[in-house]
Amino acid sequence: MLPEALPYHLKVRDHFKQQGSTWEFFAAARTREEQLAAFKTELLKNTYQFRPETDKALYEKVFLARGRLGLGDLPVTVYQAQFANDPELNASIVYLHQEAHIVFSGPIVERLNDAELLAVIAHELSHVRLFRCFDGELEVADRIITAIANNYNSEPPYFETARLFKLYTEIYCDRGAYTVVGDTGPVITSLLKIATGLQEVSAGSYAQQAEAVFSAAPGTQSATPTHPENFIRTRALRLWAGPGGEDGAGRSAVHGGPAAPVDAEGSIRMMIEGKPELDRLDLFAQRELNDMTQAFLQEYLRPAWFRSALVEGLAREYFPKLSFAPGGQDPALADRIAGAHPSIQDYFAYVLLDFVLADPSLEEMPAGRAFEFAGEMQLTAAFEPAYKKELQLSDKKWQQHKQKVREAYARGNKDRSL
């Protein structure tokens, strides 16, 4: 069965619902009648409008998709954009004032067969299904994150959150198309025909092509702003549909069938989100990195001798209320850092180095603690090159420096234990 939403959609909604005034402002914003009338007028000026009484075959598909998606008697109108010299195929939908308007661009009606056209219509109507879930809360969340991300003053995590929200929306709508058609084949071939302009394509052949990408580069993830790459969409849909999805026997509200593999959602999440990178964090990864950094500093600066006035002052710049009270250790912190993207590991390496250089009066002791803690956190491979680079040491001087620091740190710890 097609879910009401994907987990990422719900995370974004829940995040912004906690921001009461922002949520209330966007939830109260409604399309006015005059705005809808103006939009319809512009459509009539620049499109050809298909009508149920004259284009029965097309609207039969609309009504079939609408029914299978549980959209009741939602008013749906279909248009053909009037761009005679533009061969690009595309389809889009606008949902305003409880009405859906689907616009085709290019010779999409002539190029696609009946099943493919049904898949495209179902994909577009799935946008409406998603935004009507939870009394329209996901549509509100979409408008909030889009508005914030489009503001030039916004921080990068808002852009990334908006991007992932859009990517997951397309994944959801591909599932909606499959739910209606009951076969992954037409969903995939419609994507390929629209993208390539070819008249004949093979879903099975392209699925093998997509798998070859991940066999060669298992960590591949989407890098596009609004729609996942077609090889990712193809693989994601087939993973979710499960065995038999290519012939209608997989997971479907129409046919029923076996469930998708247990790891399907995890594999899809890695294709869409991947491992968070330092320069591409969404709001949730940013918050997780913030929590990890706080736990990291609490452990790194645990020795009382380390917390001089200069060092504590630097720590307060990171976290004004950072506590060094006993307990509260994260036993999984080292594993989380070891499994993080290299850019995150480099970030923690430079956090270590920041405190090594904070208070010269502590001499070699902070560097010794950094070497020790880097080992505990499985960061040695990231920390040592960063340290060597910033101190501009040759290989020979680097080895001498390490030996000097470690000997001084061992003596210092021994003296403190006496």
Side-chain angles (χ1 to χ4, degrees):
M1 294 290 291
L2 182 66
E4 286 191 301
L6 300 184
Y8 197 84
H9 295 129
L10 301 180
K11 282 172 61 177
V12 174
R13 178 204 62 177
D14 294 344
H15 174 80
F16 286 111
K17 282 194 77 173
Q18 294 173 5
Q19 302 177 19
S21 58
T22 300
W23 183 266
E24 290 171 7
F25 174 82
F26 279 88
R30 294 286 182 254
T31 304
R32 295 187 296 180
E33 290 286 352
E34 54 267 31
Q35 291 175 302
L36 179 62
F39 171 75
K40 286 183 175 180
T41 300
E42 287 302 309
L43 274 180
L44 293 175
K45 288 179 182 178
N46 297 288
T47 67
Y48 171 80
Q49 184 184 84
F50 295 105
R51 296 182 177 277
E53 59 270 20
T54 56
D55 301 286
K56 295 181 179 179
L58 177 62
Y59 275 90
E60 283 176 359
K61 297 177 179 62
V62 170
F63 300 148
L64 175 61
R66 184 179 67 180
R68 288 185 173 176
L69 291 171
L71 294 174
D73 56 357
L74 170 75
V76 182
T77 309
V78 186
Y79 307 81
Q80 176 66 49
Q82 297 180 17
F83 301 117
N85 297 322
D86 185 0
E88 181 179 353
L89 279 69
N90 197 13
S92 60
I93 191 167
V94 176
Y95 179 51
L96 285 175
H97 211 72
Q98 304 301 313
E99 295 182 9
H101 302 268
I102 299 175
V103 181
F104 294 144
S105 300
I108 198 167
V109 175
E110 294 78 12
R111 186 65 52 85
L112 304 185
N113 62 35
D114 286 343
E116 292 164 345
L117 189 57
L118 175 61
V120 169
I121 292 169
H123 175 98
E124 298 305 323
L125 287 177
S126 293
H127 284 274
V128 177
R129 186 185 191 276
L130 178 65
F131 286 159
R132 293 179 77 175
C133 291
F134 307 104
D135 295 323
E137 288 182 342
L138 299 180
E139 189 270 338
V140 175
D142 176 70
R143 283 192 288 114
I144 292 174
I145 189 56
T146 300
I148 296 175
N150 287 342
N151 187 308
Y152 70 93
N153 284 323
S154 290
E155 297 177 354
Y158 286 101
F159 294 106
E160 182 63 9
T161 304
R163 186 182 80 91
L164 293 177
F165 193 96
K166 290 179 172 61
L167 297 184
Y168 275 116
T169 295
E170 296 305 318
I171 294 295
Y172 174 90
C173 292
D174 287 343
R175 295 180 182 186
Y178 171 71
T179 297
V180 170
V181 178
D183 184 352
T184 60
V187 181
I188 295 168
T189 54
S190 65
L191 289 175
L192 296 175
K193 287 184 178 180
I194 289 172
T196 65
L198 294 173
Q199 295 187 1
E200 296 296 333
V201 293
S202 167
S205 175
Y206 190 71
Q208 292 177 8
Q209 183 177 327
E211 289 298 334
V213 172
F214 288 92
S215 295
T220 299
Q221 68 184 89
S222 181
T224 52
T226 59
H227 291 62
E229 296 85 345
N230 281 339
F231 71 91
I232 287 179
R233 292 174 70 173
T234 294
R235 187 167 186 261
L237 182 61
R238 286 169 63 91
L239 281 171
W240 182 77
E246 68 278 0
D247 58 8
R251 179 208 302 256
S252 170
V254 181
H255 295 89
V262 175
D263 64 344
E265 295 295 355
S267 297
I268 294 167
R269 184 170 60 253
M270 287 302 298
M271 289 191 292
I272 300 300
E273 299 178 51
K275 290 183 178 181
E277 300 177 29
L278 189 61
D279 60 353
R280 201 166 73 173
L281 299 174
D282 69 354
L283 291 170
F284 312 108
Q286 182 190 50
R287 184 166 58 196
E288 182 180 1
L289 181 60
N290 185 75
D291 293 342
M292 288 174 66
T293 304
Q294 183 166 333
F296 185 84
L297 287 180
Q298 286 172 329
E299 289 304 308
Y300 180 35
L301 304 178
R302 184 74 64 187
W305 62 260
F306 201 166
R307 300 196 299 273
S308 67
L310 286 174
V311 169
E312 284 217 13
L314 178 57
R316 302 301 177 196
E317 290 182 20
Y318 278 82
F319 300 101
K321 298 182 179 180
L322 186 64
S323 171
F324 299 102
Q329 299 180 12
D330 182 357
L333 182 60
D335 290 337
R336 293 167 69 190
I337 292 175
H341 188 271
S343 63
I344 301 296
Q345 295 174 352
D346 289 341
Y347 159 79
F348 281 110
Y350 275 91
V351 172
L352 288 175
L353 188 56
D354 209 6
F355 287 87
V356 167
L357 306 175
D359 188 350
S361 71
L362 295 175
E363 300 179 338
E364 286 88 5
M365 291 298 291
R369 171 61 178 156
F371 279 122
E372 176 185 63
F373 195 62
E376 294 173 4
M377 294 292 109
Q378 304 179 54
L379 274 173
T380 300
F383 173 65
E384 291 197 1
Y387 191 6
K388 178 184 175 185
K389 174 185 174 183
E390 295 304 318
L391 267 62
Q392 299 181 340
L393 297 176
S394 66
D395 290 345
K396 181 178 180 180
K397 289 186 176 180
W398 169 242
Q399 294 301 326
Q400 293 172 346
H401 179 75
K402 283 201 299 182
Q403 183 176 352
K404 177 184 175 183
V405 164
R406 285 170 172 156
E407 289 175 353
Y409 185 64
R411 286 195 305 270
N413 281 337
K414 182 178 180 181
D415 293 343
R416 285 181 173 82
S417 65
L418 295 177

